[in-house]
Amino acid sequence: MVELEFQQKTKTLIDSLKSICANYGLGNDGNEFKIITQIFLYKFLNDKFAFEAKKLDDTIAKADKWEEALVAMSEDDLDMLQLQMGGDTARLKPQHFISYLFSQQNAPDFAKLFDDTLIDIAITNNDVFAVKTDSGEKTKLFDRVSEFITDTSKRDNFCKAIINKLVEFSFERIFTQKFDFYATIFEYLIKDYNINSGGKYAEYFTPHAVARIMAEILVPQDQRGTVRNVSCYDPSAGSGTLLMNVAHAIGENRCSIYTQDISQKSSNLLRLNLILNNLVHSIPNVIQGNTVLHPYHKDGKELKRFDYIVSNPPFKLNFSDFRDELDSNENKERFFAGIPTVPKKEKDKMKIYTLFLQHIITSLKSTGKAAVVVPTGFITANTGIDNKILKHLVTNKMLAGVVSMPSNIFATTGTNVSILFIDASNDGDVVLVDASNLGEKVKDGKNQKTVLTADEEQKIINVFNAKETIEDLSVAVSYDEIEAKNYSLSAGQYFDVKIEYVDITPEQFAEKMHVITSNLDNLFNQSRDLETEIKKQLAGLKYE
């Protein structure tokens, strides 16, 4: 009941913030998502601080107003209290609290006070909560939100409207909830801001079905609790859906997250996702930058190697403006299968996913595992860079298998996708699953998408992890068999061909043959008549 109650309260808060933005002319504005996500984060950090303070100090827990109890503490006691708090809790001063701003809302220049408060929180917590770019610059936690309102006379009222919504309830009782609660809230928070808007680097929200299947296969149930002190990487992280699922499967305190993504918006959303999911310790590893051109995570001059890698990279993208920079000696090992050439036409269809896939293979530990979303056409490629990558995986025995997903599993793209599972230490059979006939079609706005049921998801996971062969669904094959099929990873090519036999009497057989022969005689007669008519028509043609 607590989860449902607070899920609704949280969604109401998000909707209220969107309504405030709309009332002040920021509805569907490019800056709306910054305001909504940053205000939500401020609320979350304030209430998390209260939750942790009450756990550590009975006086604060029993006080009618916890803020007043904190204000009454000496500076030394307050410092000691904050030192005892976990690394996931922001360091706040009494003047940072929502209740303090609420009490000051009628003061002159309230918008400036509101903005100054957010900026001071960002500065105070910059070492822990700042996201870095690949050049080392830090992206702070908050902006001055009132400055998105161009009419300066309306800024005070805008900030008053926000602060009045933030005092209506506290998040404190939901901090005992688990991953699924925050995944639902995060998806609701960003659902209007993380869609394909047609830009050069458009973010796609990876469906939770895909993310769950990846996590359950990479970290099976029987390994939960035994995996610890591992690194998880996504070189095209987006808002972090894939990584959150894997981290949850491993245990948030048993893994460290590493990411890179070219989008500033995605990196900020990922930071929020890490904060919501008790992964603040990994924020210093979140990098905004171009992974293909400037991979950030390295051990010395070599690429850093990871235990787990997940990715849903962009499939096709025009990278002709930096393609020549990739063709260098230092990238020979990383892009072992080659770099796509620049076509004369349709440069936006350059296969950039092949670069991400090669980067992932090169970034994997010798005992590492990876799961990558690829266009289904990749798994049957018999020429070019795609086939060279497939050959590399087979020759080096680095495959766990493939799950071919139903069409329209992504509502934002019509491309059929498969999940490629890489296991750098698998010298046994490879599992190929054809799930293309599963799921049901549903409307998603103007688009149609396919949704897998919970039972269908579990069926895919179970047959893959058990390396089970099920008619028309899955098959376990050897590396030699894959090589014989020119490295194709399409399950259908390995299914047994079925020939159905029906017992009939000699009389029934003779009757069937008579019917077939009569039909053929009829067709042959029609063909001869048609041949005669065509010759007759041709003979009648005259030159004029």
Side-chain angles (χ1 to χ4, degrees):
M1 289 299 293
V2 171
E3 183 171 331
L4 291 175
E5 175 192 351
F6 276 86
Q7 194 172 88
Q8 187 54 52
K9 284 184 176 181
T10 306
K11 290 180 177 181
T12 299
L13 171 63
I14 295 166
D15 290 341
S16 296
L17 294 175
K18 290 180 180 179
S19 178
I20 291 170
C21 286
N23 291 337
Y24 283 85
L26 292 170
N28 298 318
D29 181 90
N31 294 310
E32 182 190 20
F33 103 94
K34 292 183 180 179
I35 296 170
I36 301 296
T37 53
Q38 289 186 50
I39 296 302
F40 179 87
L41 179 56
Y42 170 49
K43 168 70 173 169
F44 186 90
L45 294 179
N46 179 93
D47 294 355
K48 181 74 179 295
F49 184 94
F51 176 77
E52 295 296 334
K54 290 176 183 179
K55 278 203 309 183
L56 293 168
D57 192 304
D58 283 342
T59 303
I60 298 170
K62 294 175 181 177
D64 291 334
K65 294 184 178 180
W66 64 269
E67 299 95 336
E68 292 180 0
L70 274 163
V71 170
M73 295 177 72
S74 69
E75 189 172 333
D76 288 344
D77 287 344
L78 185 58
D79 287 343
M80 182 58 67
L81 179 70
Q82 297 204 34
L83 285 173
Q84 294 174 21
M85 291 181 179
D88 290 345
T89 307
R91 301 296 179 253
L92 301 182
K93 306 169 187 175
Q95 63 268 30
H96 292 158
F97 299 149
I98 289 172
S99 59
Y100 177 78
L101 287 181
F102 179 76
S103 71
Q104 298 295 311
Q105 63 179 292
N106 293 319
D109 296 325
F110 177 67
K112 183 178 183 304
L113 175 62
F114 189 95
D115 286 343
D116 287 348
T117 300
L118 294 184
I119 296 302
D120 195 41
I121 294 173
I123 293 171
T124 302
N125 295 276
N126 202 46
D127 288 344
V128 176
F129 288 89
V131 169
K132 287 186 293 188
T133 67
D134 53 11
S135 63
E137 292 292 320
K138 288 189 174 182
T139 304
K140 60 183 183 296
L141 196 59
F142 296 119
D143 296 307
R144 293 183 175 275
V145 297
S146 77
E147 293 185 0
F148 294 119
I149 304 291
T150 54
D151 187 342
T152 57
S153 67
K154 295 181 179 179
R155 289 178 179 174
D156 282 353
N157 287 335
F158 174 69
C159 292
K160 288 180 186 179
I162 290 173
I163 205 67
N164 277 284
K165 289 297 178 186
L166 299 188
V167 296
E168 290 182 353
F169 79 99
S170 173
F171 279 132
E172 290 175 53
R173 287 172 60 203
I174 69 170
F175 290 120
T176 56
Q177 299 302 310
K178 300 298 182 183
F179 168 77
D180 289 339
F181 176 85
Y182 292 106
T184 302
I185 291 303
F186 183 77
E187 184 172 0
Y188 189 80
L189 177 65
I190 70 169
K191 66 183 176 69
D192 295 328
Y193 311 120
N194 202 41
I195 58 176
N196 176 19
S197 57
K200 186 176 181 182
Y201 292 96
E203 299 92 340
Y204 291 94
F205 190 89
T206 306
H208 281 295
V210 174
R212 282 191 292 265
I213 289 169
M214 282 186 171
E216 292 281 350
I217 290 175
L218 287 177
V219 192
Q221 288 289 338
D222 60 2
Q223 294 180 18
R224 303 289 168 94
T226 63
V227 178
R228 53 176 53 87
N229 298 324
V230 293
S231 55
C232 304
Y233 176 52
D234 189 338
S236 56
S239 55
T241 302
L242 297 179
L243 283 167
M244 295 308 105
N245 278 268
V246 172
H248 176 59
I250 295 169
E252 291 82 1
N253 61 341
R254 294 192 178 102
C255 64
S256 294
I257 300 296
Y258 294 81
T259 75
Q260 192 164 349
D261 196 288
I262 199 167
S263 166
Q264 180 177 321
K265 182 173 80 170
S266 289
S267 298
N268 286 331
L269 289 174
L270 174 57
R271 170 170 55 188
L272 173 58
N273 216 353
L274 291 171
I275 292 170
L276 294 182
N277 286 286
N278 295 319
L279 286 158
V280 171
H281 62 274
S282 290
I283 291 178
N285 304 327
V286 174
I287 303 300
Q288 180 208 329
N290 187 332
T291 306
V292 171
L293 185 59
H294 299 298
Y296 181 86
H297 297 293
K298 294 185 177 182
D299 286 329
K301 292 184 178 181
E302 301 294 321
L303 288 178
K304 184 175 177 63
R305 306 284 176 139
F306 299 95
D307 297 291
Y308 295 92
I309 303 178
V310 288
S311 187
N312 175 22
F315 290 170
K316 295 180 181 179
L317 189 71
N318 179 5
F319 60 92
S320 59
D321 53 343
F322 61 83
R323 191 263 176 208
D324 290 343
E325 294 182 62
L326 302 175
D327 198 3
S328 61
N329 286 330
E330 66 178 287
N331 279 322
K332 290 293 184 185
E333 180 183 354
R334 185 161 68 123
F335 300 132
F336 55 86
I339 302 168
T341 56
V342 180
K344 293 181 179 179
K345 297 180 180 179
E346 297 184 314
K347 293 181 181 179
D348 59 324
K349 294 185 178 180
M350 295 174 71
K351 293 182 177 180
I352 196 168
Y353 78 87
T354 61
L355 299 181
F356 276 99
L357 192 47
Q358 292 176 81
H359 173 81
I360 287 166
I361 293 168
T362 310
S363 299
L364 202 60
K365 284 185 178 179
S366 59
T367 55
K369 297 180 179 181
V372 189
V373 180
V374 296
T376 293
F378 165 79
I379 67 173
T380 56
N382 52 27
T383 59
I385 293 173
D386 301 64
N387 187 256
K388 289 179 181 177
I389 296 173
L390 291 170
K391 184 176 181 180
H392 178 91
L393 291 171
V394 172
T395 302
N396 292 281
K397 295 186 176 181
M398 297 181 68
L399 274 171
V402 168
V403 176
S404 295
M405 301 297 288
S407 60
N408 299 114
I409 197 76
F410 288 79
T412 50
T413 175
T415 305
N416 289 337
V417 304
S418 294
I419 308 173
L420 176 70
F421 290 91
I422 302 170
D423 184 342
S425 59
N426 178 38
D427 58 2
D429 284 346
V430 176
V431 187
L432 306 177
V433 180
D434 181 2
S436 60
N437 294 319
L438 302 182
E440 58 178 322
K441 306 290 184 186
V442 298
K443 289 289 288 182
D444 184 18
K446 296 180 180 179
N447 300 313
Q448 186 182 66
K449 69 177 181 180
T450 303
V451 176
L452 295 171
T453 66
D455 287 344
E456 287 173 328
E457 283 182 35
Q458 198 58 52
K459 186 176 185 179
I460 293 168
I461 294 162
N462 290 345
V463 299
F464 194 103
N465 286 339
K467 294 193 173 185
E468 196 174 355
T469 295
I470 295 181
E471 187 175 295
D472 292 335
L473 176 66
S474 62
V475 62
V477 297
S478 69
Y479 283 110
D480 288 341
E481 289 177 279
I482 296 172
E483 185 177 356
K485 294 281 189 181
N486 196 22
Y487 308 103
S488 172
L489 301 180
S490 173
Q493 293 193 28
Y494 299 87
F495 290 156
D496 291 333
V497 176
K498 293 177 293 185
I499 301 175
E500 294 185 2
Y501 297 92
V502 179
D503 290 332
I504 58 176
T505 65
E507 291 78 14
Q508 290 173 325
F509 176 77
E511 177 62 26
K512 283 183 176 292
M513 293 303 296
H514 175 71
V515 171
I516 293 171
T517 302
S518 297
N519 287 338
L520 282 173
D521 288 340
N522 186 40
L523 290 171
F524 291 154
N525 289 333
Q526 290 181 34
S527 175
R528 283 191 289 270
D529 290 342
L530 182 59
E531 181 182 340
T532 302
E533 181 63 27
I534 291 172
K535 289 180 178 179
K536 181 180 177 182
Q537 293 293 331
L538 286 173
L541 292 177
K542 295 181 180 179
Y543 177 77
E544 294 182 0

